Amino acid sequence: MAFSLLLAAAGLITFAIYYTVQWLVRCRRRTLMKRQHGCLPPKKLPQIDPILGTDVVLQNLGAAKKYGFLDLLRSRHAANGLTFTTNTYFRTTINTCDPILIQNVLSFQFQDFGMGPLRRKSASPLLGRGIFTTDDDIWAHQRALIRPSFVRAQMTDFSIFGHHVDQLIALIGRRNHEVDLQQLFFRMVLDSNSEYMFGESVGLMSENASEAATTFHHALDYAQQGTILRLRLGNLMFTHRDKKFRDSCATVHAYADKFVAQALDYRNKQAALPEEKRELDEGIRQKYVFLNELAKDTDDPILLRDQIVNMLLAARDTTAGLLAFVFFMLARRPDVWAKLRADVLEHYCEPLTYEAIMDMKYLRFVVQETLRLFPPIATNSRMANKDTVLPIGGGPDGKSPLFVAKHHVVTYSTFVMHRRKELFGEDADQFRPERWENLRPGWEFLPFNGGPRICPGQKFALTESSYTIARLLHAFSGIENLDPTGWREQLTLSLTLNNGVQCRLIPA
């Protein structure tokens, strides 16, 4: 017995010595690395609890509850500079709105940063091993699968978009032109994008939407909310116990699995055809189906499902959110509505073409200004996968090199950056589309991210949004705001409006 205790004690001592030596070696290596690059420590957010960061967490939760988390971020940067650190749950986070630092993280030093295991774990119940949760070779393979599908997509063919916008306009009429446009945009975009991706619309805009469609829609929303909660919990994610969340993820997966099976069946039937017949069949097939294109490159049903859920959710939220914010601002700016409608009518044609939309210059300005003030991904983050040095962000002025330890997180806010007066002028908080007549921003304007992980579907989202805006401006001569309050943020996987877009549209 005594020998066993002695052996156990010796083992513990050896273990402690080993990890102490490892820690000392790591500290020495990091000290030399900082000295070699001239690194200086960044500014720190004053914290009552500098270890667990309880005060910061409670402040974040309180601000989010009052729809003011993004304003809280702005106030912190105003008080502490472009780059500062916080400590929460034994984890150091570097917070920044500096475009040079962001460019290094997302592009120049792309290999030094990734999504990190915490993000993968939080999002995996819904998004699996999709493009938005993976790193390195797995991510590269998935990106390679997706990108050609967008390149091959006929995004200048508005036949799918047109049908669903027709349904939207009809539904607005059936509701006596008084609607919450944000709610309708989310339903319309899900219908449109599901037809593009699956080959079959969910059908939410129909007067007789199926129970399966409604269940899928609600499950997608609830699963997304649960994913965001898990992300916010961070290292406390283990406390998230929600059966409805798990059931909602299963419902979303089951709905997508049905279409994955159809795509794989299509793949197998095409493979069984003689080559001449296959080429002829491809030539006469008119309808583009995103999932069928993906299935040409892989027959892994889980991979296909994860990819399609990732893309469907991202495409829905980005496009619907952008449309909602555009009309939220138009309802409050009759001068912009009048100018935009004149631009649309000047170039409008039946049927509306891609070329006509490209000629609507002021429409492009309105979309860009909306993306500046209300970027779809208001905050984002990357985790260092090794010790590294960023060329900026350290020191009291944030201009010295900054050491970033492995597993430390860099969180960047496009919302804060897009409203910096030194980048966009003294009226940076104002909605002024005309600024884009001469504005040619670089990394200070990132509505769709940047670097190798730039959104592969940004052209798709911008085309669908621009087409929808032009159609509605043609169909309605005016818009009246029915909500006297200002905008209230709703942060899920993307930025939306908690109070929606309550308005009355006047038929042309």
Side-chain angles (χ1 to χ4, degrees):
M1 180 67 175
F3 177 75
S4 298
L5 290 174
L6 185 63
L7 191 63
L12 286 173
I13 292 171
T14 303
F15 182 83
I17 292 173
Y18 173 79
Y19 274 94
T20 300
V21 171
Q22 288 286 95
W23 179 77
L24 290 171
V25 169
R26 184 165 60 249
C27 288
R28 174 63 176 168
R29 185 179 66 246
R30 288 176 173 177
T31 299
L32 291 174
M33 193 174 183
K34 292 175 187 178
R35 186 180 304 161
Q36 179 184 355
H37 291 89
C39 297
L40 291 178
K43 295 184 73 173
K44 294 183 179 181
L45 181 75
Q47 294 183 230
I48 298 172
D49 177 3
I51 300 175
L52 293 177
T54 308
D55 53 326
V56 172
V57 173
L58 291 176
Q59 196 177 28
N60 290 347
L61 293 173
K65 190 175 181 180
K66 297 177 181 178
Y67 319 111
F69 177 71
L70 295 176
D71 282 336
L72 174 63
L73 287 184
R74 292 188 72 191
S75 68
R76 285 176 178 170
H77 279 289
N80 299 281
L82 301 183
T83 304
F84 61 88
T85 63
T86 53
N87 292 314
T88 54
Y89 306 137
F90 305 102
R91 184 180 68 185
T92 297
T93 298
I94 298 164
N95 304 269
T96 190
C97 61
D98 187 327
I100 298 176
L101 192 151
I102 295 170
Q103 183 179 22
N104 277 273
V105 171
L106 298 183
S107 181
F108 295 152
Q109 295 173 243
F110 174 76
Q111 297 297 334
D112 295 351
F113 295 89
M115 295 301 180
L118 198 63
R119 184 162 172 173
R120 281 195 292 275
K121 187 176 179 182
S122 63
S124 62
L126 175 61
L127 300 179
R129 295 174 67 81
I131 193 170
F132 297 120
T133 61
T134 51
D135 288 315
D136 303 324
D137 292 342
I138 297 175
W139 168 81
H141 173 66
Q142 293 173 347
R143 177 85 174 192
L145 284 179
I146 284 175
R147 191 162 186 170
S149 296
F150 275 113
V151 171
R152 292 193 293 261
Q154 299 175 12
M155 283 179 282
T156 57
D157 178 6
F158 296 143
S159 57
I160 292 178
F161 296 163
H163 169 66
H164 295 288
V165 175
D166 286 342
Q167 287 190 315
L168 172 64
I169 293 171
L171 183 55
I172 292 171
R174 290 196 299 272
R175 295 190 176 181
N176 296 319
H177 305 99
E178 291 189 12
V179 293
D180 174 2
L181 274 178
Q182 178 173 260
Q183 183 188 80
L184 298 186
F185 284 145
F186 268 81
R187 291 167 59 186
M188 183 204 75
V189 172
L190 185 57
D191 275 3
S192 175
N193 289 355
S194 58
E195 183 169 353
Y196 172 78
M197 294 187 181
F198 296 155
E200 179 182 315
S201 172
V202 172
L204 289 169
M205 296 297 287
S206 169
E207 282 292 304
N208 301 307
S210 68
E211 183 179 348
T214 304
T215 301
F216 171 69
H217 180 54
H218 292 321
L220 192 62
D221 282 341
Y222 195 86
Q224 182 191 50
Q225 291 166 13
T227 299
I228 288 298
L229 177 58
R230 290 165 62 83
L231 282 167
R232 288 176 179 166
L233 286 171
N235 289 332
L236 298 181
M237 191 192 315
F238 65 89
T239 63
H240 185 244
R241 295 286 186 270
D242 185 350
K243 184 177 183 299
K244 184 178 178 181
F245 167 73
R246 298 285 177 178
D247 290 343
S248 295
C249 292
T251 298
V252 171
H253 290 168
Y255 194 88
D257 284 341
K258 176 179 68 173
F259 295 103
V260 167
Q262 292 176 6
L264 291 176
D265 183 58
Y266 171 81
R267 169 195 166 107
N268 294 334
K269 287 179 179 177
Q270 288 296 107
L273 292 174
E275 186 173 346
E276 303 79 18
K277 179 69 169 64
R278 194 185 315 154
E279 291 176 355
L280 178 63
D281 191 49
E282 287 289 324
I284 62 174
R285 187 167 59 88
Q286 297 295 318
K287 191 172 184 178
Y288 180 91
V289 179
F290 183 88
L291 187 53
N292 285 349
E293 295 299 310
L294 285 184
K296 289 179 180 179
D297 298 313
T298 180
D299 60 356
D300 183 338
I302 302 301
L303 175 60
L304 287 171
R305 184 193 71 196
D306 289 347
Q307 294 292 33
I308 209 69
V309 170
N310 276 245
M311 297 310 299
L312 185 67
L313 190 60
R316 183 197 70 160
D317 286 23
T318 299
T319 306
L322 170 56
L323 287 169
F325 278 113
V326 165
F327 281 88
F328 183 88
M329 297 309 300
L330 290 176
R332 287 155 176 77
R333 292 289 301 274
D335 57 323
V336 177
W337 173 279
K339 189 171 181 178
L340 177 57
R341 189 162 193 266
D343 181 46
V344 168
L345 294 181
E346 180 183 352
H347 299 99
Y348 200 88
C349 60
E350 290 282 5
L352 185 57
T353 63
Y354 180 80
E355 291 71 26
I357 290 176
M358 291 300 100
D359 288 336
M360 298 173 187
K361 186 184 296 185
Y362 195 67
L363 171 58
R364 185 165 66 253
F365 295 166
V366 168
V367 169
Q368 288 174 309
E369 182 71 344
T370 304
L371 288 169
R372 183 185 70 83
L373 284 174
F374 309 104
I377 309 300
T379 63
N380 210 333
S381 64
R382 295 290 184 268
M383 178 178 283
N385 52 41
K386 66 178 182 179
D387 290 348
T388 188
V389 173
L390 293 169
I392 199 169
D397 60 359
K399 295 182 179 179
S400 298
L402 172 65
F403 175 78
V404 183
K406 183 179 180 180
H407 294 149
H408 282 190
V409 173
V410 177
T411 294
Y412 57 97
S413 175
T414 53
F415 181 86
V416 177
M417 181 171 68
H418 286 182
R419 292 172 180 244
R420 285 176 54 192
K421 292 181 179 180
E422 63 270 36
L423 299 178
F424 294 97
E426 287 299 313
D427 63 348
D429 283 326
Q430 303 302 312
F431 183 75
R432 187 171 67 83
E434 289 76 11
R435 78 175 75 244
W436 291 92
E437 290 177 357
N438 302 307
L439 196 59
R440 300 292 183 272
W443 278 81
E444 60 268 30
F445 180 61
L446 288 182
F448 293 101
N449 220 340
R453 280 189 180 266
I454 192 169
C455 175
Q458 63 173 308
K459 184 178 180 182
F460 180 85
L462 290 172
T463 302
E464 184 174 15
S465 299
S466 298
Y467 175 86
T468 303
I469 295 166
R471 286 287 311 276
L472 290 177
L473 268 288
H474 178 261
F476 300 100
S477 62
I479 186 170
E480 297 176 4
N481 177 33
L482 300 180
D483 179 6
T485 64
W487 80 285
R488 295 200 302 269
E489 69 186 48
Q490 180 74 41
L491 281 170
T492 54
L493 291 179
S494 64
L495 179 61
T496 58
L497 286 149
N498 175 267
N499 47 329
V501 185
Q502 313 294 334
C503 64
R504 178 186 297 112
L505 291 157
I506 302 168

